[in-house]
Amino acid sequence: MATTNAGTLRLGTAQGRWVLLATVLGSSMAMLDGTVVNVALPRIGTDLGASLASLQWTLNAYLLTLAGLILLGGALGDRYGRRRVFLLGVVWFAVASAACAAAPNIQVLIAARAVQGIGGALLTPGSLAMLQAVFHPDDRSAAVGLWSGLGGVSAAVGPFLGGWLVDGPGWRWIFLLNLPLAAAVIAVATRHVPESRDESATGRFDVLGSVLAALALGAITYALTAAGEGLSPAVWVTGVLGLVLCAAFIAVERRAPEPMLPLGLFSSRLFTAVNLVTLCVYAAFSGVFFLLVVQLQIVAHFSPLVSGLALVPITVLMLALSSRAARLGKRIGPRIPLTVGPLLCAAGVLLMLRIGAGSSYWADVLPAVTVMGSGMTLLVAPLTATVLAAVEVRHAGIASGVNNAAARAAGLLAVAALPALAGLSGEAYRVPSAVDDAFHTAMLICAGLLTTGAITAFVTIRGNVLAPEDHPVAEPDTEWCCGTTPPLDPGHVHTPEGPATDPAAGPSRS
């Protein structure tokens, strides 16, 4: 077991490089999973005889446990050791991935995906927290930047790799892929990553808040998903139950000494506004990424490999230009990027209305995803920077975590609700004409959400909120509000160059 004093490791040393490798490989497991599963959904549905609702739950079961427990996962790492909880998450994720690969039916696959999300909630916050804890302050910025960039490479590879596996050995291999990655992470982390914890972390965990949040999201997600088959009594009961659980969650958070969601953060008008923008844009992103691969495979008759490659331009644009977008937002303020960015994304989504039977990738798909990717590149970095600027520096970690959870919850609810709103349910996702009609309706809804986000940003966000003299940027630290490390993941990464994110990977913020 490697030993070193906290905050003294240098990036240029052999151990520093090993630590970076372990964190990159660990976060890449979650990132790859987010990109490859979407591509495989039509084939999974065919092989397991699954309905559209079951395919929705294949995504949402994972997102539900991940979103509900990710803040708790960060707190557990602080208290009991970041490396220990990270490795527990890696092992948990790998075992659940093996269960996904061996699933004999869609019900077992959904259950295994929910278990996999728990592993993701344990490993995801730990990957960045370990970098912050063990590296020397002079090297933290470079380490986080490398972690972000190398993690982005895995996001770019994911759609290609997922499509190739689905076309080749089969969709089960997208889950088996996690096993060698997990073995490598365990070997490297056990030998080279020092343990770290927050010695000042005390008090009780907000377990009740985490449970209520997960149950509320679960009930509302079930109601929205089942609504596609009709407004039955079960839909109304679970929908009302979800709202009651939401109210109970807020009441608990008001009284909890160490709340998972400090409601005082929302006393900032800017923080509230930027999270409303986040809800709008990430709901739209999740809806687009969920239905686009279905449209490409069922209606346009693209192979899984080509369907996966269709999203690569978005990742490439974000990897190449996110740091420049961050600097632009700091120079001119976030109001214009957060207004123009969603409008560009909406234009890209409207261009997707041209995608249908007989579509060409070069003439119909590439222009649409390029325009959408340009808008995402413009808005995502200033969005996260504005979240951090909306609160005091000492609350930066929890503020970013709340924004992360908002993005995931938006994606969860969008995947649940959008097919029903578009009129797609049951086995209709296998019928090209039904998919085509629903896709067009859904893209109009997503464009409307993006436009709403743009209007919200223009009306509520001032242009000078990122001024350096007003909002100094905090160096990533190992201690945050309430003893919680920043629960970031490859979907929401704040780096000194600016927050580099990849929503295409499954807002993603894994």
Side-chain angles (χ1 to χ4, degrees):
M1 174 177 141
T3 59
T4 187
N5 293 327
T8 62
L9 188 63
R10 303 310 298 249
L11 185 58
T13 63
Q15 186 183 0
R17 290 189 288 269
W18 282 115
V19 170
L20 183 64
L21 177 65
T23 58
V24 168
L25 289 178
S27 62
S28 293
M29 288 173 59
M31 184 169 286
L32 279 171
D33 189 81
T35 56
V36 299
V37 173
N38 272 15
V39 176
L41 285 178
R43 193 65 58 85
I44 291 173
T46 299
D47 287 358
L48 298 184
S51 66
L52 178 64
S54 295
L55 295 185
Q56 290 170 271
W57 277 109
T58 302
L59 295 181
N60 283 343
Y62 174 83
L63 290 173
L64 184 60
T65 51
L66 180 62
L69 300 175
I70 193 168
L71 296 181
L72 181 61
L76 287 171
D78 283 350
R79 179 77 61 85
Y80 297 113
R82 297 176 180 109
R83 188 188 71 161
R84 177 180 299 172
V85 173
F86 172 76
L87 285 174
L88 174 63
V90 169
V91 173
W92 193 308
F93 196 91
V95 172
S97 296
C100 290
N105 53 54
I106 194 65
Q107 291 78 18
V108 173
L109 177 60
I110 291 170
R113 287 282 286 165
V115 175
Q116 195 182 34
I118 299 174
L122 295 174
L123 77 88
T124 294
S127 62
L128 182 58
M130 288 190 301
L131 292 182
Q132 295 169 336
V134 304
F135 276 107
H136 189 280
D138 292 343
D139 288 344
R140 286 176 187 164
S141 296
V144 173
L146 285 170
W147 176 84
S148 174
L150 293 172
V153 171
S154 70
V157 171
F160 169 79
L161 185 60
W164 178 76
L165 289 172
V166 172
D167 271 343
W171 62 265
R172 296 180 187 274
W173 283 86
I174 67 174
F175 298 110
L176 292 174
L177 180 67
N178 291 322
L179 302 186
L181 279 176
V185 172
I186 293 167
V188 173
T190 302
R191 182 175 178 82
H192 298 285
V193 178
E195 185 58 280
S196 64
R197 58 174 52 84
D198 181 3
E199 300 296 344
S200 67
T202 58
R204 297 180 178 179
F205 295 114
D206 187 13
V207 176
L208 179 58
S210 296
V211 172
L212 286 173
L215 290 176
L217 280 174
I220 293 172
T221 300
Y222 176 84
L224 292 174
T225 303
E229 304 292 338
L231 297 178
S232 65
V235 170
W236 288 106
V237 170
T238 53
V240 171
L241 177 62
L243 295 176
V244 170
L245 289 169
C246 282
F249 170 72
I250 293 172
V252 167
E253 296 306 283
R254 287 186 183 277
R255 294 171 174 80
E258 301 276 355
M260 180 182 80
L261 177 62
L263 297 178
L265 291 174
F266 292 95
S267 62
S268 165
R269 179 173 177 268
L270 177 61
F271 185 78
T272 302
V274 77
N275 277 285
L276 288 174
V277 175
T278 298
L279 288 171
C280 290
V281 299
Y282 277 88
F285 293 158
S286 297
V288 170
F289 297 139
F290 173 54
L291 290 175
L292 178 59
V293 291
V294 177
Q295 176 78 356
L296 291 175
Q297 293 183 49
I298 303 300
V299 178
H301 300 295
F302 287 12
S303 68
L305 175 58
V306 176
S307 298
L309 287 173
L311 300 178
V312 170
I314 294 176
T315 305
V316 172
L317 283 169
M318 296 191 70
L319 284 173
L321 300 176
S322 281
S323 62
R324 296 182 183 181
R327 290 192 291 270
L328 176 66
K330 188 173 182 180
R331 186 169 68 248
I332 69 173
R335 187 184 192 189
I336 298 303
L338 294 185
T339 301
V340 176
L343 291 177
L344 266 178
C345 289
V349 170
L350 292 176
L351 285 175
M352 291 179 186
L353 296 174
R354 301 168 57 199
I355 300 173
S359 289
S360 160
Y361 173 79
W362 299 106
D364 301 311
V365 180
L366 182 61
V369 297
T370 300
V371 173
M372 182 175 178
S374 299
M376 290 172 66
T377 300
L378 186 61
L379 79 91
V380 168
L383 182 69
T384 310
T386 308
V387 169
L388 297 176
V391 299
E392 297 178 28
V393 171
R394 64 191 179 95
H395 294 313
I398 194 66
S400 186
V402 170
N403 187 247
N404 188 331
R408 293 189 181 281
L412 176 70
L413 297 177
V415 172
L418 198 57
L421 293 173
L424 191 66
S425 62
E427 307 294 327
Y429 75 93
R430 300 177 185 174
V431 181
S433 60
V435 171
D436 194 40
D437 290 342
F439 178 77
H440 281 72
T441 301
M443 292 307 99
L444 291 173
I445 295 172
C446 290
L449 284 169
L450 289 162
T451 303
T452 301
I455 294 170
T456 302
F458 183 79
V459 171
T460 60
I461 296 176
R462 293 182 293 111
N464 62 346
V465 297
L466 298 183
E469 63 272 17
D470 295 331
H471 298 280
V473 177
E475 177 72 26
D477 200 354
T478 59
E479 297 183 12
W480 299 87
C481 174
C482 306
T484 304
T485 51
L488 302 175
D489 62 50
H492 276 61
V493 180
H494 177 68
T495 73
E497 285 291 327
T501 66
D502 182 27
S508 63
R509 286 357 134 223
S510 323

